[in-house]
Amino acid sequence: MLGNFTYCNPTRLHFGEQALEQLAGELKHYGGRVLLAYGGGSIKKNGLYDKVTAILKACGKEVFEVPGVMPNPTVEKLYEGCRVARENNVDLILAVGGGSVCDYAKAVSVSAWCQEDPWDKYFLRMEDVSNPIIPVGCVLTMVGTGSEMNGGAVITHPAQKRKIGHVFGSNVMPRFSILDPTLTYTVPMEQMVAGIYDAFNHICEQYFSGEDDNTTDYIAEGLMRSLVASSRIALRQPENYEARSNIMWAATWALNTLLAMGKSTDWEVHMIGQSIGAYTNATHGMTLSAVSLAYYRYIMADGLAKFGRFAVNVWGIDPAGKSAEALAEAGLAAMERWMEELGVARNIRQLGVTEDMLEGIADGAFLMTGGYRTLTRNDVLNILKASM
Amino acid sequence: MLGNFTYCNPTRLHFGEQALEQLAGELKHYGGRVLLAYGGGSIKKNGLYDKVTAILKACGKEVFEVPGVMPNPTVEKLYEGCRVARENNVDLILAVGGGSVCDYAKAVSVSAWCQEDPWDKYFLRMEDVSNPIIPVGCVLTMVGTGSEMNGGAVITHPAQKRKIGHVFGSNVMPRFSILDPTLTYTVPMEQMVAGIYDAFNHICEQYFSGEDDNTTDYIAEGLMRSLVASSRIALRQPENYEARSNIMWAATWALNTLLAMGKSTDWEVHMIGQSIGAYTNATHGMTLSAVSLAYYRYIMADGLAKFGRFAVNVWGIDPAGKSAEALAEAGLAAMERWMEELGVARNIRQLGVTEDMLEGIADGAFLMTGGYRTLTRNDVLNILKASM
């Protein structure tokens, strides 16, 4: 049954090959002081930095920069961005990069004017925002996290070995996002497939909850089928516009809150994956793929009907003559074959996890209650061992 | 290929059995003068009018009313609402009813402060809005049109025999909508099934365009499958909350602009159906169902691959051993059987269309260019004759 909910997602998305042309129109709505956040410098090599700064200049903006936002943005980097935003009293934060940069921009947007330590308030204590929020816009260069159309931000505290995400409300969602699939062509193959699996797992985390026949789950199945079909084309032809644009669009809808409406949602794979990320700094999507199969096989019996539905509706498996268990396992086996095709990580050892980390990773993994089974810390340890 | 587009849908939806409790919170954002628009009085019989006016009163609002909004709102009724809105300088229009009342509220919202005749400017000439817009909120009591989360409004000019819809931008979309599935329980069965078919056809109108493998089409297939599954439950158990809530949610997403993103879209069934509506005042969903089969069979050869995909992905038909034509026809035959189950109109004679109206109906049907075939007026006449 669809539970009660409120849905609101006001982000304005400009999608397509000429989407960057819409940036100037968006910038008109904000004051003259813009904080430009970006990553390791790939946008300087591929010319995007020059294009964006030319548009900012033509719009008469004064630009302040936070370069070097890392793949798993740290709390120290968050403090730096807050300082720059505050000292320059910026009117807009423009993220140019992948999900980490977008996440980072949103974290700065809620933290810059926070009177307390934002790590404590927003990530450890998960409080609501009670201070002014700086608007955020995104120019997306990498696909997967869905950060371009949601209120989420994940920040890592290396000293505390914690990587924590907070999903803020619609007032923290980007005011606008520029989605040009051709900007994702230069992403290395490993990042592309990690992003595809990240998006796929976002859908799984929401789909594998509840017992009934929600409209939301039918949408989820459509998105998964589209992702699988397009990923197979993109593996062979990374510059196939149709495939890359479908992947980009599916990834946005995979995590813009729609698929969670009326559902309890799981998110345990993300909790375990994030804890692995805190210990290894591994690519987010790979931390998810490395534990997914062990996790889903661990809980399969608790959500057998849904795993069977997954087999039939997502992977096209004929249920005739199969037991419920065999059907459910056939769906996961089909997912496993697809993950092999993608070449995503399927064990945590290859991400740099060693035996001595397992206890700590288990400690860092929140135990979620919305999926088919609420794990214990010992269950998490079992899953980690099965993922080694 | 997904074409370039901008997506923005800021409507805040409150969904579920207690959704009306959210009305007071929404009302806080607007001034004290509210125009309440509603239909023929069923909300007075079932107690909803009392509940809504009690909330308005508790929030200190001064309420002005436009009762009697008819199923196909007329231009004269539009002028009346504009007068009331203007004379009382209202801050918000609150629609309580089905899609017609929501459409009407949006039409008044753009027309009240229009310096010209709004029928000429917004419906005959389809111009953009250049005057102040009065915000709209909706409490939905009937499912189908999707009006609760889009910028569309359809108005009928009986003297001119024209029923015309204008899809306005995101600034005309309702600011908020209250969606409580239990409020739809009292709708007569005939209205329920007409609404279900209306929603289904909205998906078809967007799905049956383009040649490729868009993410959008996968979402469309999921929504169609959900609608079919839930409708079969609702036919037997009209007060099955799960079924009615899924139908309500699917209908919202069927026409809130998502399924049109990156697609050319068709809408010819709506154009013919609306012209029938101008001549007969028949229920909107029934005008669509009455011409759909004739239309899709008329154009099937022009979009054969998509009709085949429809057969497989929506109706679960096994393509093995079937020619492309046989597969496509099998999909339409499955749709026809479902329409029989629903009991929706499958010919236009039962809607009151007579032979002498056909030329006029054909004159009133716009010829759209986004589908698999651009019809001529003669094609429309053929389809009308095949629908008799």
Side-chain angles (χ1 to χ4, degrees), chain B residues 258-328:
Chain B
L258 172 62
L259 297 188
M261 290 301 107
K263 305 224 12 156
S264 55
T265 74
D266 184 343
W267 297 109
E268 192 58 46
V269 170
H270 267 68
M271 294 306 108
I272 301 173
Q274 285 176 192
S275 193
I276 293 167
Y279 275 77
T280 61
N281 202 29
T283 299
H284 172 62
M286 296 300 191
T287 66
L288 306 176
S289 63
V291 298
S292 283
L293 287 161
Y295 174 71
Y296 289 124
R297 288 188 168 122
Y298 198 86
I299 66 156
M300 194 182 84
D302 302 284
L304 205 56
K306 194 59 160 288
F307 283 97
R309 179 177 163 160
F310 176 69
V312 174
N313 290 355
V314 178
W315 301 101
I317 292 166
D318 185 353
K322 289 189 184 66
S323 69
E325 288 76 12
L327 182 62

Side-chain angles (χ1 to χ4, degrees), chain A residues 2 4-7 9 13-18 212-213 215 218 222 225-226 241-242 246 253 258 313, chain B residues 1-2 4-7 9 13-18 212-213 215 218 222 225-226 242 246 253 258 313:
Chain A
L2 282 168
N4 296 342
F5 60 84
T6 290
Y7 175 87
N9 193 321
L13 296 167
H14 300 288
F15 194 99
E17 283 192 81
Q18 278 78 44
D212 42 35
D213 203 33
T215 293
Y218 285 92
R225 295 178 60 229
S226 177
Y241 183 82
E242 188 179 341
N246 283 328
W253 286 88
L258 172 62
N313 290 355
Chain B
M1 194 176 89
L2 282 168
N4 296 342
F5 60 83
T6 290
Y7 175 87
N9 193 322
L13 296 168
H14 300 289
F15 193 101
E17 283 192 82
Q18 279 78 43
D212 41 34
D213 203 34
T215 294
Y218 285 92
R225 294 178 60 230
S226 177
E242 188 179 342
N246 284 328
W253 286 89
L258 172 62
N313 290 355

